[in-house]
């Protein structure tokens, strides 16, 4: 999530940890978090949010089907953060996730997430006119989002 975006765009502080997991691994991850004192506070069909036992980071788990998870894994890259090794998503996948979040999320995310998308587009060689970006907007975003990103790209 935010840690991955910070590898491709200017660093900004985030207050949660976003993880994508295969949908079949939900029980194991949820049990592990509960054993550490985390409490589940929200759940949808493909997402669950956990609150830490003490002040700290919220943990969001996003469940992906096996094909999508493995595609993201293959394109991802390894980083070291706080002395631990992690695999982060490629900028192309993060753009798709941000488009999805903007399509279904809060308006308050718009400026921050669009700025992240613009930075990551440069990282993966996309412009508002590339076929890949058009396909991502069609599948995960909206025509209005695509128009907004096009306007901000040229400004």
């Amino acid at each position: 999530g935010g840690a991955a975006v910070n590898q491709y765009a200017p660093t900004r502080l985030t207050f949660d940890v976003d993880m994508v997991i295969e949908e079949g691994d939900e029980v194991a991850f949820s049990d592990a978090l509960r054993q550490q004192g985390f409490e589940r506070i929200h759940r949808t069909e493909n997402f669950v949010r956990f609150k830490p036992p003490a002040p700290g980071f919220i943990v969001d788990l996003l469940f992906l089907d096996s094909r999508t998870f493995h595609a993201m894994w293959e394109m991802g890259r390894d980083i070291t953060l706080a002395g631990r090794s992690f695999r982060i998503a490629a900028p192309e996948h993060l753009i798709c996730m941000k488009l999805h979040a903007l399509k279904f999320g809060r308006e308050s995310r718009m400026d921050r997430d669009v700025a992240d998308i613009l930075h990551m587009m440069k990282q993966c060689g996309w412009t508002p006119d590339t076929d890949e970006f058009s396909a991502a907007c069609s599948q995960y975003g909206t025509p209005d989002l695509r128009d907004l990103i096009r306007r901000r790209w040229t400004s």
Side-chain angles (χ1 to χ4, degrees):
V5 170
N6 286 339
Q7 299 299 309
Y8 304 110
T11 301
R12 63 177 171 81
L13 183 60
T14 62
F15 298 98
D16 64 353
V17 175
D18 303 309
M19 298 173 62
V20 295
I21 63 172
E22 281 190 80
E23 55 197 358
D25 292 335
E26 174 191 355
V27 171
F29 273 85
S30 294
D31 287 350
L33 286 167
R34 281 193 206 97
Q35 287 174 4
Q36 296 299 315
F38 283 78
E39 174 189 351
R40 188 175 81 183
I41 57 174
H42 181 72
R43 186 177 194 311
T44 67
E45 182 180 342
N46 60 357
F47 171 85
V48 66
R49 172 169 281 168
F50 287 90
K51 178 176 80 171
F57 292 101
I58 296 284
V59 174
D60 293 335
L61 301 178
L62 175 63
F63 318 129
L64 302 178
D65 63 73
S66 183
R67 183 188 62 77
T68 304
F69 177 84
H70 287 285
M72 286 185 72
W73 185 266
E74 290 300 317
M75 283 185 65
R77 74 177 225 215
D78 295 323
I79 65 163
T80 301
L81 186 64
R84 305 220 31 184
S85 185
F86 295 92
R87 178 158 286 247
I88 62 170
E92 295 88 343
H93 289 132
L94 291 167
I95 291 168
C96 293
M97 293 171 76
K98 292 265 183 198
L99 289 168
H100 177 83
L102 288 171
K103 181 177 182 179
F104 294 105
R106 300 179 312 266
E107 179 72 24
S108 62
R109 298 182 60 113
M110 190 65 67
D111 286 339
R112 174 181 70 222
D113 285 350
V114 167
D116 289 342
I117 289 169
L118 291 168
H119 284 288
M120 288 184 293
M121 287 172 65
K122 293 173 187 171
Q123 292 290 319
C124 58
W126 288 5
T127 72
D129 298 319
T130 58
D131 292 341
E132 295 87 355
F133 182 70
S134 294
C137 285
S138 294
Q139 185 170 357
Y140 301 104
T142 66
D144 288 342
L145 276 172
R146 182 175 180 204
D147 292 344
L148 173 64
I149 291 166
R150 173 169 288 167
R151 285 192 307 274
R152 295 216 183 150
W153 179 271
T154 59
S155 65

